[in-house]
Coordinates of all heavy atoms in Angstrom, one line a residue:
Q9 N 257.4 -25.1 200.2 CA 256.3 -24.1 200.6 C 256.3 -23.8 202.1 O 256.1 -22.6 202.4 CB 255.0 -24.7 200.2 CG 254.7 -24.7 198.7 CD 253.4 -25.4 198.3 OE1 252.4 -24.7 198.1 NE2 253.4 -26.7 198.3
P10 N 256.5 -24.7 203.0 CA 256.6 -24.3 204.4 C 257.6 -23.3 204.7 O 257.4 -22.4 205.6 CB 256.8 -25.6 205.2 CG 256.3 -26.7 204.2 CD 256.7 -26.2 202.9
A11 N 258.8 -23.4 204.1 CA 259.9 -22.5 204.3 C 259.7 -21.1 203.6 O 259.9 -20.1 204.2 CB 261.2 -23.1 203.9
M12 N 259.3 -21.1 202.4 CA 259.2 -19.9 201.6 C 257.9 -19.9 200.8 O 257.9 -20.2 199.6 CB 260.4 -19.9 200.6 CG 261.8 -19.8 201.2 SD 263.1 -19.8 200.0 CE 262.9 -21.4 199.2
P13 N 256.8 -19.6 201.5 CA 255.5 -19.6 200.8 C 255.4 -18.7 199.6 O 254.8 -19.1 198.5 CB 254.5 -19.3 201.9 CG 255.3 -18.6 202.9 CD 256.7 -19.2 202.9
Q14 N 256.0 -17.5 199.6 CA 255.9 -16.6 198.5 C 256.7 -17.1 197.3 O 256.1 -17.1 196.2 CB 256.4 -15.2 198.9 CG 255.5 -14.4 199.8 CD 256.0 -13.0 200.1 OE1 257.2 -12.7 200.0 NE2 255.1 -12.1 200.4
A15 N 257.9 -17.4 197.5 CA 258.8 -17.9 196.4 C 258.3 -19.2 195.8 O 258.3 -19.4 194.6 CB 260.2 -18.0 196.8
S16 N 257.8 -20.1 196.6 CA 257.3 -21.4 196.2 C 256.1 -21.2 195.3 O 255.9 -21.8 194.3 CB 257.0 -22.3 197.3 OG 258.2 -22.6 198.1
E17 N 255.2 -20.2 195.7 CA 254.0 -19.9 195.0 C 254.4 -19.4 193.6 O 253.8 -19.8 192.6 CB 253.2 -18.9 195.7 CG 251.9 -18.6 195.0 CD 251.0 -17.5 195.7 OE1 251.6 -16.9 196.7 OE2 249.9 -17.3 195.3
K18 N 255.4 -18.5 193.5 CA 255.8 -18.0 192.2 C 256.4 -19.1 191.3 O 256.1 -19.1 190.1 CB 256.9 -16.9 192.5 CG 256.4 -15.6 193.1 CD 257.5 -14.7 193.5 CE 257.0 -13.5 194.2 NZ 258.1 -12.6 194.6
L19 N 257.2 -20.0 191.9 CA 257.7 -21.1 191.1 C 256.6 -22.0 190.6 O 256.7 -22.4 189.4 CB 258.7 -21.9 191.9 CG 260.1 -21.3 192.1 CD1 260.9 -22.2 193.1 CD2 260.9 -21.2 190.8
L20 N 255.7 -22.3 191.4 CA 254.6 -23.2 191.0 C 253.7 -22.5 190.0 O 253.2 -23.2 189.1 CB 253.8 -23.7 192.2 CG 254.6 -24.6 193.1 CD1 254.0 -24.8 194.5 CD2 254.9 -26.0 192.4
D21 N 253.5 -21.2 190.1 CA 252.8 -20.5 189.1 C 253.5 -20.5 187.7 O 252.9 -20.8 186.7 CB 252.7 -19.0 189.5 CG 251.6 -18.8 190.6 OD1 250.8 -19.7 190.9 OD2 251.6 -17.7 191.2
L22 N 254.9 -20.4 187.8 CA 255.6 -20.4 186.5 C 255.6 -21.8 185.9 O 255.8 -21.9 184.7 CB 257.1 -20.0 186.8 CG 257.4 -18.6 187.2 CD1 258.8 -18.4 187.6 CD2 257.0 -17.7 186.0
L23 N 255.3 -22.8 186.7 CA 255.2 -24.2 186.2 C 253.8 -24.6 185.9 O 253.5 -25.7 185.6 CB 255.8 -25.2 187.2 CG 257.3 -25.1 187.4 CD1 257.8 -25.8 188.7 CD2 258.0 -25.8 186.2
G24 N 252.9 -23.6 185.9 CA 251.5 -23.8 185.5 C 250.7 -24.7 186.5 O 249.7 -25.3 186.0
Q25 N 251.1 -24.8 187.7 CA 250.5 -25.7 188.7 C 249.3 -25.0 189.3 O 249.4 -23.9 189.8 CB 251.4 -26.2 189.7 CG 252.6 -26.9 189.2 CD 252.2 -28.1 188.4 OE1 251.7 -29.1 188.9 NE2 252.4 -28.0 187.1
S26 N 248.1 -25.6 189.2 CA 246.9 -25.0 189.8 C 247.0 -25.0 191.3 O 247.8 -25.8 191.9 CB 245.7 -25.8 189.4 OG 245.7 -27.1 190.0
S27 N 246.2 -24.1 192.0 CA 246.3 -24.0 193.4 C 245.9 -25.3 194.1 O 246.2 -25.6 195.3 CB 245.4 -22.9 193.9 OG 244.0 -23.1 193.5
G28 N 245.2 -26.2 193.4 CA 244.7 -27.5 194.0 C 245.7 -28.6 193.7 O 245.4 -29.7 194.1
A29 N 246.9 -28.3 193.2 CA 247.8 -29.4 192.8 C 249.2 -29.1 193.5 O 250.2 -29.4 192.9 CB 248.0 -29.5 191.3
R30 N 249.1 -28.7 194.8 CA 250.4 -28.3 195.4 C 250.5 -28.9 196.8 O 251.4 -28.5 197.6 CB 250.4 -26.7 195.6 CG 250.3 -26.0 194.2 CD 250.4 -24.5 194.3 NE 250.2 -23.9 193.0 CZ 250.5 -22.7 192.7 NH1 250.9 -21.8 193.7 NH2 250.4 -22.2 191.5
M31 N 249.8 -30.0 197.0 CA 249.9 -30.7 198.3 C 251.0 -31.8 198.1 O 251.3 -32.2 197.0 CB 248.6 -31.4 198.6 CG 247.4 -30.4 198.8 SD 247.5 -29.4 200.3 CE 246.9 -30.7 201.5
F32 N 251.4 -32.3 199.3 CA 252.4 -33.4 199.2 C 251.8 -34.6 198.5 O 252.5 -35.4 197.8 CB 252.9 -33.8 200.6 CG 253.6 -32.7 201.3 CD1 253.7 -32.7 202.7 CD2 254.2 -31.7 200.6 CE1 254.4 -31.7 203.3 CE2 255.0 -30.7 201.3 CZ 255.1 -30.7 202.6
A33 N 250.5 -34.8 198.6 CA 249.9 -35.9 197.9 C 249.9 -35.8 196.4 O 249.7 -36.8 195.7 CB 248.4 -36.0 198.3
D34 N 250.2 -34.6 195.9 CA 250.4 -34.4 194.4 C 251.8 -34.7 193.9 O 252.0 -34.6 192.7 CB 250.0 -32.9 194.1 CG 248.6 -32.6 194.5 OD1 247.7 -33.4 194.1 OD2 248.3 -31.6 195.2
L35 N 252.7 -35.0 194.8 CA 254.1 -35.2 194.3 C 254.2 -36.4 193.4 O 255.1 -36.4 192.5 CB 255.0 -35.3 195.5 CG 255.3 -34.0 196.2 CD1 256.1 -34.2 197.5 CD2 256.1 -33.1 195.2
P36 N 253.5 -37.5 193.6 CA 253.7 -38.6 192.7 C 253.4 -38.3 191.2 O 253.8 -39.0 190.3 CB 252.8 -39.7 193.2 CG 252.6 -39.4 194.7 CD 252.6 -37.9 194.7
A37 N 252.5 -37.3 191.0 CA 252.1 -37.0 189.6 C 253.3 -36.4 188.9 O 254.3 -36.0 189.5 CB 250.9 -36.0 189.7
R38 N 253.2 -36.2 187.6 CA 254.2 -35.6 186.8 C 253.7 -34.4 186.1 O 252.5 -34.2 185.9 CB 254.7 -36.6 185.8 CG 255.6 -37.8 186.3 CD 257.0 -37.3 186.5 NE 257.9 -38.4 186.8 CZ 258.4 -38.6 188.0 NH1 258.1 -37.8 189.0 NH2 259.2 -39.7 188.2
L39 N 254.6 -33.5 185.7 CA 254.2 -32.4 184.8 C 253.5 -32.9 183.6 O 253.9 -33.9 183.0 CB 255.4 -31.6 184.4 CG 255.9 -30.5 185.4 CD1 257.3 -30.0 184.9 CD2 254.9 -29.4 185.5
A40 N 252.4 -32.2 183.2 CA 251.7 -32.6 182.0 C 252.3 -32.1 180.7 O 252.4 -30.9 180.6 CB 250.2 -32.2 182.1
P41 N 252.8 -32.9 179.8 CA 253.3 -32.4 178.6 C 252.3 -31.6 177.8 O 251.1 -31.9 177.8 CB 253.7 -33.7 177.8 CG 253.9 -34.7 178.8 CD 252.9 -34.4 179.9
G42 N 252.7 -30.5 177.2 CA 251.8 -29.6 176.5 C 251.2 -28.6 177.3 O 250.5 -27.7 176.8
L43 N 251.5 -28.6 178.6 CA 250.9 -27.6 179.5 C 251.5 -26.2 179.2 O 252.7 -26.0 179.1 CB 251.2 -27.9 181.0 CG 250.8 -27.0 182.1 CD1 249.3 -26.9 182.2 CD2 251.4 -27.4 183.4

């Protein structure tokens, strides 16, 4: 995200990640099955 905010936002949108789940602190979590 620091390097490519636009492209990273698009990728995270495609992965169904909410705007509140994109911090470095969210990295230990995993993708939710069934999302």
Side-chain angles (χ1 to χ4, degrees):
Q9 289 176 99
M12 300 180 294
Q14 285 186 335
S16 298
E17 180 181 13
K18 292 174 184 175
L19 281 173
L20 291 166
D21 286 346
L22 291 173
L23 289 163
Q25 300 303 290
S26 70
S27 59
R30 302 183 180 193
M31 302 286 284
F32 295 159
D34 298 309
L35 284 171
R38 288 278 189 251
L39 275 170
L43 179 66

